[in-house]
Amino acid sequence: YRHSDSGLDVVLCGRRSPLIWALPKGTPDFGETRKETALREVNEETGLRVQAEAFLDTIDYWFVRSSDGSWCHKTVHYYLMNSMGGDLSQHDDEFDEVKWFQAHHALKAMTHENEAKIVGKGISLAT
């Protein structure tokens, strides 16, 4: 998140097809802590340098991997993170677009309700 003239902003990662607006997430590198993974993935997927302020929550879910049709279980640990700089144009190619939303617009734009609840928690702590 960041504070701007318009209030509190939240960064989201988007894909065009299928249309999705979501939070960054990813897989730990060997030996990384949960927080280290979160910081690295946010930097890679958004281009932002961030500071983790607080643990928010964990989401567990299943999905079908498109490459081979296998069912996969994923656990994602979310942190409230403050933007310390960086450049959204430097995001990796996992997403088509990364952009800032006013907090209330971010909640409406988000594809996954469970992630929107995480953002809601973050908003309540960041304001």
Side-chain angles (χ1 to χ4, degrees):
Y1 75 91
R2 70 177 181 188
H3 292 283
S4 69
D5 292 339
S6 61
L8 188 72
D9 297 332
V10 176
V11 72
L12 296 178
C13 301
R15 286 194 197 111
R16 289 184 199 98
S17 182
L19 181 61
I20 188 172
W21 284 105
L23 295 171
K25 59 186 133 314
T27 303
D29 286 343
F30 181 77
E32 275 185 328
T33 65
R34 292 175 179 171
K35 187 187 285 186
E36 288 168 341
T37 299
L39 291 167
R40 178 183 52 75
E41 287 288 343
V42 168
N43 176 257
E44 290 173 2
E45 294 184 6
T46 68
L48 297 175
R49 288 181 289 107
V50 293
Q51 168 184 305
E53 294 183 354
F55 173 75
L56 291 173
D57 210 342
T58 298
I59 294 176
D60 286 292
Y61 62 95
W62 288 88
F63 66 97
V64 176
R65 190 170 41 213
S66 59
S67 62
D68 63 4
S70 296
W71 278 96
C72 300
H73 178 255
K74 189 163 190 168
T75 302
V76 185
H77 307 282
Y78 291 95
Y79 292 83
L80 177 65
M81 295 184 182
N82 186 8
S83 174
M84 308 301 289
D87 183 348
L88 295 182
S89 70
Q90 299 301 308
H91 69 86
D92 66 13
D93 61 0
E94 187 169 337
F95 291 98
D96 299 315
E97 183 178 11
V98 177
K99 72 179 200 174
W100 288 105
F101 289 79
Q102 290 179 339
H104 65 281
H105 290 302
L107 291 171
K108 292 177 185 175
M110 295 186 75
T111 303
H112 305 295
E113 185 178 333
N114 55 358
E115 285 191 352
K117 288 179 183 178
I118 298 287
V119 170
K121 276 188 185 183
I123 290 168
S124 68
L125 291 174
T127 53

